């Protein structure tokens, strides 16, 4: 979308439209940090549940925060926001499937274990492809969507 106007006016309009996006990201980040805090606090009560849930929620929050226009002014550094946002997007299935592995019946645990390990490897491969300029993170999203669709079915 092309916008015409002064920089301040365009930023104000975009900020108003995406303020909920940024706020949701920050809420998810705080929930994730709280889950990590609970994992440390309750070490004797299955801390893996808290860590896996916290990693999932933190990744979702980082993606929302890094991709919002408001995040541009808070985080600032474009390469950092680019890599943090897209890497968080690539890694959210790792936390989600690792959390599912902990809470599901024994017969599904192996399947979820395979899924989260696959996505961890895929995230590293995506990062390597982007850094080596073989394939951009943006295009790797579509491959991730394909994998997630197949896993859901």
């Amino acid at each position: 979308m092309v916008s015409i106007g002064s920089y301040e006016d365009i930023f104000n309009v975009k900020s108003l439209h995406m303020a909920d996006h940024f706020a949701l990201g920050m809420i998810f980040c705080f929930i994730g940090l709280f889950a990590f805090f609970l994992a440390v606090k309750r070490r004797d009560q299955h801390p893996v549940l808290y860590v896996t849930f916290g990693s999932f929620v933190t990744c979702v929050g980082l993606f929302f925060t890094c991709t919002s226009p408001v995040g541009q002014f808070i985080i600032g550094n474009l390469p950092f926001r680019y890599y943090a946002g897209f890497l968080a997007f690539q890694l959210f299935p790792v936390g989600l499937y690792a959390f599912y592995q902990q809470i599901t019946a024994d017969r599904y645990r192996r399947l979820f274990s395979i899924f989260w390990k696959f996505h961890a490897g895929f995230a590293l491969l995506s990062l390597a492809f982007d850094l080596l300029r073989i394939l951009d993170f943006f295009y790797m999203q579509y491959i991730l969507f394909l994998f997630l669709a197949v896993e859901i079915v």
Side-chain angles (χ1 to χ4, degrees), residues 14-26:
K14 286 194 179 267
S15 296
L16 288 176
H17 290 299
M18 297 298 284
D20 56 342
H21 193 81
F22 180 77
L24 187 65
M26 292 304 293

Side-chain angles (χ1 to χ4, degrees), residues 14-115:
K14 286 194 179 267
S15 296
L16 288 176
H17 290 299
M18 297 298 284
D20 56 342
H21 193 81
F22 180 77
L24 187 65
M26 292 304 293
I27 290 169
F28 278 136
C29 285
F30 286 126
I31 291 171
L33 291 174
F34 184 69
F36 289 133
F37 173 74
L38 285 177
V40 171
K41 191 88 168 146
R42 300 180 179 177
R43 278 179 248 143
D44 56 335
Q45 299 175 353
H46 302 334
V48 176
L49 286 174
Y50 297 112
V51 170
T52 56
F53 178 75
S55 64
F56 163 64
V57 175
T58 303
C59 284
V60 172
L62 270 176
F63 176 73
F64 279 132
T65 303
C66 289
T67 57
S68 73
V70 180
Q72 172 183 358
F73 289 96
I74 292 177
I75 299 171
N77 189 355
L78 181 62
F80 175 76
R81 279 189 312 115
Y82 173 78
Y83 285 109
F86 281 108
L87 201 57
F89 184 76
Q90 295 281 335
L91 287 173
F92 92 85
V94 174
L96 180 65
Y97 287 137
F99 179 69
Y100 283 165
Q101 179 187 358
Q102 298 299 316
I103 63 171
T104 57
D106 287 336
R107 63 182 178 166
Y108 296 114
R109 285 190 181 158
R110 178 146 170 80
L111 181 67
F112 286 125
S113 174
I114 292 169
F115 284 169

